Amino acid sequence: MLKRWLLVPVLALAVLAAGAAAEEPVQDVDYVLIDPQPVMPGKIEVIEFFYYGCESCNRLEPRLQSWMAGLADDVSFRRVPAIRRTAWVPLTRLYFALDQLGEIDRLHAQVYRAVHGAGLNPSDVPALEAWAREHGLDAGKLEQLMDSDAIRDRVQRAHDETVAYGVRATPSFVVDGKYLTEAGMAGSADALLGIVDGLVDKARASRGQRR
């Protein structure tokens, strides 16, 4: 009887270990390897490729905000607006203009709400001006920035990164310049961040780093 009771915790640990192993991302199922891109020394970079008009990106954003709040010290995060077609350019210009104004932290989620809740179209100048004023922005300055050469250059770089990282859908995440995953692989946007965490662990192990 004693042996049987001793076996219970051992079996429980075995089940837990099997569960942990099952959560490790599987290549060509949960993620794919891409041509390695430059990475920051000493940091594991996570890039989110997103599009404001993407419903999955919109649903993911609250979870992503919580996830970002718990980032380990050895992980860096940045966003890149994906550009898969010309129609995505206006919202990309809006993102970079807000970034230039130092307003991304305050207004990133607000853009999602405006696009998906009120149908904001940045090509509709009166609607964009009204949205800008509602959020305490100088509408004229915002429009001027969106039409500037500096923003056009950033849009082009975002397009180049979209191509270089092999991004085909949004939201997509690239970890450590070589692991790419997206909602289609994860099965849902909700499951995506768990795979990203697994890829961060994988990158950490490949570098011989400890959290």
Side-chain angles (χ1 to χ4, degrees), residues 14 37 42 62 79 95 116 132 182 189 193 200 207:
Q37 301 295 315
R79 297 183 181 94
Y95 171 82
H116 294 274
E182 43 100 347
L193 293 177
V200 168
R207 291 182 174 207

Side-chain angles (χ1 to χ4, degrees), residues 146-209:
M146 288 176 65
D147 288 333
S148 69
D149 289 340
I151 296 303
R152 289 193 182 94
D153 288 345
R154 293 187 72 179
V155 169
Q156 183 60 52
R157 289 199 296 273
H159 173 266
D160 293 345
E161 284 195 276
T162 302
V163 173
Y165 284 91
V167 174
R168 298 182 180 277
T170 55
S172 288
F173 287 81
V174 174
V175 177
D176 207 29
K178 57 188 175 184
Y179 307 122
L180 177 129
T181 186
E182 43 100 347
M185 296 177 190
S188 71
D190 289 342
L192 193 51
L193 293 177
I195 291 175
V196 172
D197 283 334
L199 293 173
V200 168
D201 288 341
K202 188 176 183 67
R204 193 177 282 128
S206 72
R207 291 182 174 207
Q209 294 179 199

Side-chain angles (χ1 to χ4, degrees), residues 111-122:
V111 176
Y112 274 121
R113 292 191 186 100
V115 170
H116 294 274
L120 176 67
N121 176 3

Side-chain angles (χ1 to χ4, degrees), residues 83-102:
I83 303 183
R84 294 282 302 154
R85 50 184 63 92
T86 305
W88 293 16
V89 170
L91 284 170
T92 300
R93 288 163 55 200
L94 176 58
Y95 171 82
F96 283 126
L98 292 174
D99 185 52
Q100 191 87 2
L101 291 169

